[in-house]
Amino acid sequence: MNFEKFALHEKIFAGVRSQGYTTPTPIQLQAIPPIMEGRDVMGIAQTGTGKTAAFVLPILQRLMQGPQRNVRALIIAPTRELCQQTHEVIGQLGRRTQLRSASIYGGVSIRGQIKKLNDHVDIISACPGRLLDHLDRGTADLSHIEVLVLDEADHMFDMGFLPDIRRIVKSLPAKRQTLLFSATMPSDVQHLANDLLHNPLEIRIGRSAPVETVSHRFYPVQMDTKTDLLKDLLDHTERESVLVFTRTKSRAKSVAGRLDKSGYKVISLHGNLTQQKRQKALAGFRDGRYEIMVATDIAARGIDVTNISHVINYDMPETTDAYTHRIGRTGRASKTGEAFTFVTNQDAGLAHSLKRSLGDKVAYHSVDGLTIAVPADPASRPGRKHSVTGVKTHNGNGRSFSPKGHGNKSSKQRSFKPAGHRSWS
Ligand code: AMP
């Protein structure tokens, strides 16, 4: 199957070709035809599946027909980065069309946005807060919207945006096409979908677990050894771009600072940065000036960098859904990726439930002198001794695992082959 089958307008097809897309991804295969027919669609798909083009292409196709005077399509997304990225995808795929899009989000001057909206704009890619601001000022007219897209709806729910979305929807014509994309389906998102979508076609791509192209390693570790372990992994892993997640903004900054001092090309991305600095950091990470980015969850939403070979959870995410989102940053568009997660004893509960959901895809690994024993599953019966079975060695050196401080060589003394660490399944 190729893109010709969708019978896209020649100018849109030229945009597809310019991006080098030859084969539609599964979500594109399943979603593009019904969206082109005008149906409401609920897509349960993770990031990295090609979902942006799955809704952008039919929108461009629709807007090529009819008057090009008003804003006719609205895409709402949780973060500035995602809004900006979608705006850029529209620009790339629609480059040969006359259609114009605007990205609307906070943290930048509203004046430029008002000016743009006064010009001719066909598509808006917006974050809820700034869009409401424009609606309150009367500087955005959504009365001609034909298509509404709610992207990463579960994350908009996490960020408390659902009331804003309901307010925005009141400014839209009741007769419209509505598309909702979400990696997971919490009940509040399901309720929103029930209220806003009419007889939607439900498309599920993969299960609600991290993308198949990613392998997962857990490293049991103590808090104070995390940075040494991080450096060790960076030094002994064959890698392209690496995205490191921390739980807090201050830790993103401090971990990046420590790596920088050790000579790594690193940048941090977190909510305390100005929009300009965020854009600069992202651009530098995308073009390879920085090989490592240390980010918080919110800041990293919507990052589309195809050559991220590794996601490292310096701090464990708080939920399995958050894990899914983080891991979605690697293994994009069928590339393979690896996810390394540092697990402290406090993280044992979530680590074990992730392990149950991911099964064989997860293996615990050790690094001499830097990791500790695998934490016991708090859900297992009290008094039952935790045991780890099926020890595998990657480099076949037969070394057995010994916890930190038991006479191992220091990390500097150890000689490693790439991925020469040991694992348990
Ligand atoms: P998304 O899930 O929309 O964020 O897309 C993830 C990545 O896949 C982006 O870098 C897209 O450029 C890329 N992509 C989307 N569709 C295709 C396709 N049909 N063939 C190859 N790459 C694609």
Side-chain angles (χ1 to χ4, degrees):
M1 170 75 192
N2 52 32
F3 279 92
E4 268 103 2
K5 296 272 165 45
F6 297 132
L8 293 164
H9 191 287
E10 177 48 39
K11 289 186 172 168
I12 302 171
F13 191 57
V16 171
R17 270 199 310 262
S18 76
Q19 293 309 295
Y21 301 170
T22 49
T23 317
T25 65
I27 183 115
Q28 290 163 0
L29 272 179
Q30 292 185 49
I32 291 177
I35 299 176
M36 281 175 67
E37 280 168 22
R39 279 200 70 171
D40 283 4
V41 166
M42 186 157 82
I44 300 157
Q46 294 143 28
T47 56
T49 50
K51 69 180 164 55
T52 315
F55 63 77
V56 166
L57 290 171
I59 287 177
L60 293 173
Q61 178 82 5
R62 179 186 189 124
L63 302 194
M64 288 286 286
Q65 294 133 31
Q68 291 175 13
R69 276 190 303 272
N70 302 305
V71 184
R72 291 164 63 203
L74 170 65
I75 298 151
I76 307 182
T79 63
R80 300 162 183 183
E81 280 75 18
L82 187 55
C83 285
Q84 183 61 24
Q85 201 168 283
T86 304
H87 167 67
E88 284 166 17
V89 171
I90 295 167
Q92 288 153 2
L93 294 173
R95 62 200 286 173
R96 294 278 306 279
T97 70
Q98 304 296 312
L99 298 166
R100 295 175 60 172
S101 83
S103 54
I104 299 291
Y105 48 75
V108 292
S109 153
I110 199 164
R111 286 218 195 116
Q113 295 177 350
I114 294 174
K115 193 164 172 289
K116 183 113 203 234
L117 290 171
N118 278 334
D119 272 1
H120 149 215
V121 169
D122 303 279
I123 307 170
I124 289 179
S125 171
C127 285
R130 180 55 71 89
L131 182 61
L132 276 174
D133 205 353
H134 280 284
L135 289 175
D136 292 343
R137 289 165 184 248
T139 47
D141 175 10
L142 302 181
S143 63
H144 296 91
I145 293 293
E146 296 171 26
V147 188
L148 166 68
V149 181
L150 300 173
D151 198 8
E152 301 204 349
D154 49 350
H155 197 232
M156 295 210 270
F157 162 64
D158 289 343
M159 293 174 74
F161 283 150
L162 296 199
D164 286 354
I165 288 166
R166 288 183 186 273
R167 262 188 73 200
I168 293 166
V169 166
K170 288 200 180 113
S171 313
L172 308 180
K175 188 173 171 299
R176 57 161 200 271
Q177 180 177 26
T178 307
L179 314 171
L180 183 144
F181 293 87
S182 202
T184 55
M185 255 312 148
S187 62
D188 289 66
V189 174
Q190 187 65 57
H191 287 145
L192 183 79
N194 294 346
D195 292 347
L196 301 186
L197 278 72
H198 298 287
N199 186 26
L201 183 73
E202 193 178 310
I203 296 172
R204 246 172 227 275
I205 299 297
R207 44 195 194 101
S208 185
V211 278
E212 301 300 314
T213 46
V214 178
S215 63
H216 311 259
R217 294 178 176 201
F218 284 4
Y219 289 88
V221 68
Q222 269 168 345
M223 192 63 213
D224 59 0
T225 347
K226 280 186 177 183
T227 306
D228 286 339
L229 178 61
L230 176 61
K231 288 186 198 163
D232 188 276
L233 292 172
L234 291 171
D235 290 347
H236 298 103
T237 306
E238 225 174 283
R239 56 184 163 83
E240 294 178 55
S241 298
V242 178
L243 184 57
V244 178
F245 282 100
T246 61
R247 200 168 289 162
T248 62
K249 299 173 199 172
S250 62
R251 199 172 296 157
K253 207 173 145 198
S254 70
V255 171
R258 273 176 264 158
L259 292 181
D260 183 54
K261 269 202 189 120
S262 304
Y264 296 93
K265 289 191 278 172
V266 60
I267 189 80
S268 63
L269 184 76
H270 51 80
N272 284 349
L273 299 177
T274 61
Q275 184 58 26
Q276 211 187 359
K277 283 199 171 148
R278 282 161 73 152
Q279 304 269 59
K280 240 175 123 180
L282 263 176
F285 186 51
R286 204 171 273 142
D287 67 25
R289 253 176 302 145
Y290 303 111
E291 53 185 359
I292 302 156
M293 175 176 268
V294 187
T296 53
D297 285 284
I298 303 279
R301 287 297 292 201
I303 289 182
D304 176 23
V305 178
T306 27
N307 57 347
I308 295 179
S309 60
H310 290 80
V311 166
I312 302 183
N313 293 314
Y314 184 94
D315 293 320
M316 186 91 176
E318 302 205 359
T319 60
T320 44
D321 285 353
Y323 184 86
T324 305
H325 287 308
R326 287 183 179 186
I327 299 319
R329 304 291 129 209
T330 186
R332 289 171 86 74
S334 304
K335 281 194 154 204
T336 52
E338 283 189 307
F340 298 163
T341 301
F342 295 176
V343 181
T344 63
N345 285 331
Q346 284 75 37
D347 303 322
L350 184 56
H352 282 280
S353 72
L354 276 170
K355 180 124 178 52
R356 278 191 290 275
S357 101
L358 295 167
D360 287 347
K361 287 185 162 291
V362 175
Y364 271 100
H365 283 239
S366 79
V367 179
D368 290 349
L370 295 174
T371 48
I372 56 172
V374 176
D377 184 353
S380 62
R381 271 179 285 135
R384 200 173 134 187
K385 201 167 176 298
H386 179 73
S387 66
V388 178
T389 53
V391 178
K392 286 186 265 170
T393 63
H394 273 245
N395 56 6
N397 65 7
R399 283 181 298 177
S400 61
F401 171 76
S402 8
K404 187 176 185 289
H406 284 232
N408 295 305
K409 287 187 256 178
S410 79
S411 67
K412 292 264 178 316
Q413 290 168 305
R414 275 175 294 119
S415 65
F416 269 95
K417 298 183 182 109
H421 300 191
R422 275 154 300 120
S423 70
W424 297 262
S425 51

